Amino acid sequence: MEAKRVAAEKAVEYVADGMTVGLGTGSTTAYAIHKLGEMVKQGLKIKAVATSTRSETLAKELGIQLVAFADIDQIDLTIDGADEVDPEWNLIKGGGGALLREKIVAAASRRLIIIVDESKVVQRLGLFPLPVEVVPFGWELTMRKLADLGYNPRLRTENGKPYVTDNGNYILDCRIGLIDRPGQIHDRINSMVGVVDNGLFIGYASLVIVGYHDGTAKELPRKDEP
Ligand code: 5RP
């Protein structure tokens, strides 16, 4: 889709020779990986760390050199998508199921560039169901606890079976409704036994690039918290 592609192509302009680059997951990031593949063929020298087996496979196919996360000290720049972005650059991520590795890579990155099409920009997070990654053991109990908080969790499935993340966990998609204090919800969910992490990314983004259907891409101005 044009809006996703233009956002991705603007983001890769920040990639330079010698960088270690984090590769996010999803259809928008796939455009960035394709573009990086072209740039590598033209001589760009980078090393990359992938946030999912999907992105790893794509990068390998395109001839991008991959390094193990264990072998690097820091990532210079990560490019990743999002499911929702608010004016303070808080994010919901994990629609593609890669939220945990995405957050680990984001936390190890000097800069995180988020690329989205215009439909992902919202005034308040929460219309998109919040993905919560949980340990399979006792997931029913974890789900009941999330339900008790009024978060309306639903087990994500694939071909009639629980969807399993790259880390061997399940995902509970929570229909919380519009979120007033994302930081509070993030901490409340992550303090539950059985929860590994949730898709709220607070304070990780360094830049948000929005692609529009007219083929333009612009940086989203960041509103400071009140
Ligand atoms: C994967 C993610 C993705 O970045 C998010 O779901 C956006 O995906 P897409 O670019 O396909 O719309 O968080 O876990």
Side-chain angles (χ1 to χ4, degrees):
M1 197 215 288
E2 184 66 1
K4 292 186 176 191
R5 190 180 59 76
V6 287
E9 292 189 353
K10 193 167 172 66
V12 300
E13 290 172 11
Y14 290 84
V15 177
D17 260 340
M19 279 186 174
T20 301
V21 180
L23 306 175
T25 297
S27 55
T28 318
T29 308
Y31 284 111
I33 300 175
H34 275 281
K35 188 69 191 171
L36 286 173
E38 278 174 31
M39 290 159 71
V40 163
K41 283 200 179 71
Q42 286 157 12
L44 177 75
K45 302 253 176 308
I46 54 165
K47 287 177 187 161
V49 177
T51 54
S52 61
T53 47
R54 265 167 295 158
S55 294
E56 187 177 312
T57 306
L58 180 61
K60 263 189 205 152
E61 280 168 12
L62 295 167
I64 299 171
Q65 188 193 342
L66 287 154
V67 279
F69 191 65
D71 294 338
I72 48 154
D73 295 325
Q74 201 179 43
I75 297 164
D76 296 296
L77 170 67
T78 290
I79 300 175
D80 202 351
D83 301 299
E84 282 186 347
V85 183
D86 79 5
E88 284 144 28
W89 295 358
N90 298 315
L91 319 169
I92 287 186
K93 287 183 52 53
L99 64 129
L100 179 58
R101 291 194 189 187
E102 288 172 339
K103 202 177 274 183
I104 292 171
V105 167
S109 301
R110 282 181 49 237
R111 300 193 78 197
L112 171 66
I113 301 186
I114 293 296
I115 48 176
V116 289
D117 68 61
E118 56 187 311
S119 70
K120 309 281 187 73
V121 180
V122 298
Q123 281 309 305
R124 268 163 80 196
L125 301 177
L127 271 188
F128 190 91
L130 177 66
V132 178
E133 182 156 346
V134 301
V135 173
F137 181 82
W139 70 268
E140 300 90 338
L141 181 64
T142 313
M143 184 154 107
R144 277 202 294 277
K145 284 199 233 154
L146 288 164
D148 288 347
L149 290 174
Y151 294 165
N152 300 309
R154 195 175 296 166
L155 180 68
R156 190 180 296 186
T157 56
E158 192 176 53
N159 304 322
K161 294 197 180 115
Y163 172 87
V164 179
T165 69
D166 282 347
N167 318 298
N169 296 316
Y170 292 171
I171 289 192
L172 302 175
D173 290 302
C174 294
R175 285 157 183 79
I176 296 181
L178 293 180
I179 297 173
D180 277 329
R181 292 192 177 79
Q184 219 173 61
I185 303 272
H186 172 277
D187 293 353
R188 190 176 293 159
I189 294 176
N190 275 17
S191 68
M192 264 183 208
V193 174
V195 167
V196 183
D197 205 345
N198 72 78
L200 282 165
F201 282 53
I202 317 287
Y204 283 100
S206 322
L207 184 66
V208 176
I209 299 177
V210 184
Y212 295 86
H213 294 105
D214 65 4
T216 60
K218 291 190 198 102
E219 293 176 11
L220 184 73
R222 186 180 186 281
K223 181 176 162 275
D224 288 327
E225 276 181 65

